[in-house]
Amino acid sequence: MKRLLFLLTGIVCLNPAFAQDMDGVEIRTTKVTDSIYMLEGSGGNIAVSVGEDGVFLVDDQFAPLTDKIFAAIAEISDRPVRFVINTHFHYDHTDGNERMGEAGAMIVSHDNSRIRMSGDQVIALFKREQDAYDEVGLPVITFSESMTFHFNGEEINVFHPGSAHTDGDAIVHFKTSDVLHMGDVFVRYGFPFIDQPNGGHVDGLIRGVQRALDRTGDATRVIPGHGQLSGRSDMIAFVDMLTKIRDRVMAGINAGHSLEAIVASDPTRGFEERGIETGPFVKTVYDSLTHGHGH
Ligand SMILES: [Zn+2]
């Protein structure tokens, strides 16, 4: 069991899922297609592919929710969980790993996410520590660029969009069903969290969404890392917003302005309805552009 330590009180909390009492959390199931479902509880959205071959999961939320997640899956399939893809290493997407591993699931991630889950981590923006997982909770298969599963009659391509939300992101494309799970490269809670100290980069995030957009059509269903089931137009609006804000921050940097002056120039203007504190977000964009590598 992982310990989640608050290092300080009064944390900046961009993600409303954090610090919830898990006892009161219920798992809500949304049918996406005949064979793919989205589960929402607390933490990152879960995708479930069901069929003859078994259950294929994308992300597994928090360990205290695992029994409820298994119960929700049992409502739609009587098969075991064979694979769990981790979209990145953050605990609100992966803390179910140890229970999933114990239950016999094969855990899969990008190379860098396994490295991060193998050691203790700090998620600086939230002032949180994430302890290393036991062996049973670590991915047994990792990839660097992309890999493809042939499972439940479906071609499932898992690809690394480059360093975007972290340096170990995976986007899952259920090609046959025309469904994407974006991990936290695309979220619906407002300005995205870019984990710059753990390899995230605003330019990578923009390019990652664009790479995913290349695979979409008007009928594509998009499961965001957090928030409601979405589509192509929602991702276009998201990437347009990010590009505009990024360009404003870059213009300030090029003009020699300080972070404080750039924050004061309100580079998120026009997007206030997103309703999230803009200072920390502008700082992560600034940090990416001034000392992130972005590739
Ligand atoms: Zn995350």
Side-chain angles (χ1 to χ4, degrees):
M1 186 73 66
K2 292 283 124 323
R3 287 176 300 123
L4 299 176
L5 299 180
F6 283 89
L7 300 183
L8 291 169
T9 55
I11 59 165
V12 176
C13 189
L14 294 185
N15 183 340
F18 291 160
Q20 274 187 16
D21 173 4
M22 297 297 161
D23 289 347
V25 173
E26 286 179 18
I27 306 297
R28 197 152 57 88
T29 302
T30 302
K31 187 169 184 172
V32 179
T33 69
D34 283 345
S35 61
I36 297 178
Y37 295 78
M38 177 171 103
L39 306 186
E40 293 170 90
S42 179
N45 289 329
I46 295 174
V48 188
S49 159
V50 297
E52 287 292 305
D53 298 328
V55 173
F56 181 104
L57 289 188
V58 183
D59 285 344
D60 54 29
Q61 298 192 350
F62 295 98
L65 298 177
T66 304
D67 287 332
K68 293 179 186 176
I69 291 166
F70 277 135
I73 292 169
E75 297 285 321
I76 49 182
S77 174
D78 58 3
R79 306 289 164 99
V81 177
R82 300 272 308 278
F83 293 101
V84 177
I85 311 299
N86 291 151
T87 59
H88 60 293
F89 80 93
H90 287 156
Y91 55 87
D92 57 323
H93 298 257
T94 59
D95 263 4
N97 273 12
E98 289 170 337
R99 291 280 312 278
M100 290 292 167
E102 284 164 8
M106 305 278 253
I107 301 170
V108 180
S109 79
H110 185 265
D111 299 334
N112 292 338
S113 288
R114 188 187 197 280
I115 292 168
R116 292 198 181 279
M117 287 185 273
S118 305
D120 296 342
Q121 300 295 326
V122 174
I123 303 171
L125 186 67
F126 302 117
K127 300 184 172 64
R128 286 269 198 144
E129 280 183 354
Q130 177 174 331
D131 290 352
Y133 291 151
D134 290 342
E135 198 68 33
V136 70
L138 292 175
V140 294
I141 304 168
T142 64
F143 72 99
S144 57
E145 296 299 325
S146 85
M147 67 192 302
T148 300
F149 292 81
H150 302 271
F151 196 77
N152 288 340
E154 176 104 42
E155 185 179 340
I156 308 168
N157 182 240
V158 182
F159 68 99
H160 177 53
S163 292
H165 172 63
T166 68
D167 62 5
D169 297 315
I171 293 174
V172 182
H173 187 195
F174 297 92
K175 294 177 87 164
T176 312
S177 295
D178 197 14
V179 174
L180 282 163
H181 188 305
M182 293 294 295
D184 282 359
V185 176
F186 172 61
V187 294
R188 298 303 305 271
Y189 54 64
F191 300 125
F193 166 39
I194 299 166
D195 193 352
Q196 190 267 332
N198 287 316
H201 195 286
V202 64
D203 287 340
L205 199 76
I206 290 168
R207 276 198 294 272
V209 178
Q210 286 167 337
R211 281 187 62 184
L213 272 170
D214 287 344
R215 296 168 174 242
T216 62
D218 289 340
T220 306
R221 314 306 306 274
V222 180
I223 299 173
H226 298 266
Q228 68 272 31
L229 190 62
S230 302
R232 173 184 171 81
S233 61
D234 302 306
M235 286 212 293
I236 291 171
F238 179 80
V239 81
D240 286 351
M241 172 188 77
L242 285 181
T243 303
K244 186 159 263 177
I245 295 168
R246 179 253 181 234
D247 288 350
R248 288 168 175 168
V249 173
M250 195 72 223
I253 292 167
N254 288 337
H257 297 156
S258 66
L259 170 61
E260 292 67 29
I262 291 170
V263 170
S265 76
D266 194 14
T268 60
R269 63 189 174 278
F271 303 105
E272 294 86 353
E273 78 281 5
R274 305 266 170 172
I276 298 242
E277 255 194 282
T278 61
F281 173 64
V282 173
K283 181 177 185 307
T284 61
V285 173
Y286 176 91
D287 288 345
S288 299
L289 295 172
T290 51
H291 43 260
H293 46 87
H295 50 79

